[in-house]
């Protein structure tokens, strides 16, 4: 099953080569409460960039098995085999091509043994792709995302948090919501 178009993958690789997508400490602050609450024995970081969050989890939770997937980084461009106690994803799902979303969510759901945590940006990105499109290919409301996850991942919702993001003073188009959702395998 192909989760990403090769042309789009090359564009993501260009963005990653520009030195972005490696802020593991920031990503850890987002998932810290989830990790400390559910104590997963293994974690898959979906959309892991260059592996920054994986490194921080290994450092702070040395007994936790970690793996990553990110089609924009050659080191992580193959989906790991097997399932994981938890799958986490921060600011990645909105980068999926709309035509591949259902299949990708199904694959993510198949990787979850127990829990998942997803932070989804529901606003246009600051970055653009080399072809000029906004880097957030899917900009939808949290309610829309909830439906997509429930319909495609075989999970139940444990908790949700919706925050308002307004960066319009600096980037007038970056306004919307941040959607944090914690799920449990159904």
């Amino acid at each position: 099953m192909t989760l990403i178009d090769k042309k789009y993958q090359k564009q993501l690789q260009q963005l990653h080569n520009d030195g972005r997508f490696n802020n593991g400490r920031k990503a850890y602050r987002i998932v810290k409460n989830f990790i400390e609450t559910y104590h997963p024995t293994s974690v898959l970081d979906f959309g892991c960039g260059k592996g920054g969050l994986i490194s921080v989890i290994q450092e702070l939770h040395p007994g936790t098995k970690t793996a990553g997937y990110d089609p924009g980084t050659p080191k992580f461009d193959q989906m790991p085999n097997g399932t994981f106690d938890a799958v986490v994803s921060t600011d990645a799902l909105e980068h999926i091509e709309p035509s591949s979303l259902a299949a990708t969510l199904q694959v993510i759901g198949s990787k979850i043994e127990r829990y998942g945590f997803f932070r989804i940006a529901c606003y246009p990105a600051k970055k653009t792709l080399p072809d000029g499109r906004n880097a957030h290919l899917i900009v939808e409301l949290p309610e829309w995302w909830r439906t997509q996850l429930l319909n495609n991942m075989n999970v139940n919702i444990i908790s949700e948090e919706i925050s308002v993001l307004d960066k319009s003073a600096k980037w007038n188009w970056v306004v919307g919501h941040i959607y944090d959702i914690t799920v449990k395998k159904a």
Side-chain angles (χ1 to χ4, degrees):
M1 174 185 317
T2 302
L3 297 182
I4 186 166
D5 175 79
K6 292 295 179 191
K7 290 179 186 175
Y8 178 51
Q9 185 173 14
K10 287 183 190 293
Q11 291 188 58
L12 288 178
Q13 289 171 346
Q14 280 183 259
L15 284 180
H16 286 255
N17 286 338
D18 289 344
R20 302 174 185 178
F21 307 109
N22 197 32
N23 195 339
R25 296 273 172 209
K26 180 179 177 186
Y28 184 74
R29 287 192 303 269
I30 295 167
V31 301
K32 180 179 189 263
N33 185 54
F34 171 81
I35 298 284
E36 292 178 351
T37 299
Y38 296 102
H39 306 285
T41 58
S42 58
V43 175
L44 170 64
D45 182 5
F46 181 90
C48 67
K50 294 180 180 175
L53 175 59
I54 293 168
S55 296
V56 175
I57 292 172
Q58 289 171 342
E59 172 191 330
L60 299 177
H61 306 276
T64 304
K65 174 185 156 198
T66 58
Y69 171 74
D70 196 305
T73 305
K75 180 179 177 181
F76 296 108
D77 69 358
Q78 297 297 311
M79 182 65 72
N81 292 324
T83 59
F84 297 83
D85 210 22
V87 174
V88 299
S89 182
T90 60
D91 192 27
L93 298 182
E94 62 276 9
H95 294 273
I96 297 169
E97 296 164 289
S99 62
S100 299
L101 182 64
T104 302
L105 292 177
Q106 290 165 12
V107 168
I108 293 170
S110 75
K111 297 292 178 183
I112 298 172
E113 284 182 22
R114 293 179 37 213
Y115 300 105
F117 174 84
F118 307 98
R119 169 165 282 184
I120 304 169
C122 304
Y123 53 86
K126 295 178 278 187
K127 301 173 188 124
T128 57
L129 296 168
D131 68 7
R133 289 182 293 167
N134 190 276
H136 289 176
L137 298 180
I138 302 175
V139 178
E140 295 288 349
L141 293 172
E143 295 79 10
W144 183 89
W145 279 105
R146 177 187 308 118
T147 300
Q148 299 307 309
L149 271 62
L150 289 174
N151 287 346
N152 292 293
M153 295 180 80
N154 191 30
V155 294
N156 295 314
I157 297 171
I158 295 174
S159 67
E160 302 173 280
E161 183 177 336
I162 300 170
S163 310
V164 174
L165 178 88
D166 186 347
K167 298 282 185 177
S168 60
K170 191 169 184 180
W171 302 285
N172 63 351
W173 65 93
V174 183
V175 177
H177 298 93
I178 296 170
Y179 181 41
D180 290 341
I181 181 168
T182 302
V183 299
K184 181 176 184 175
K185 190 73 170 184

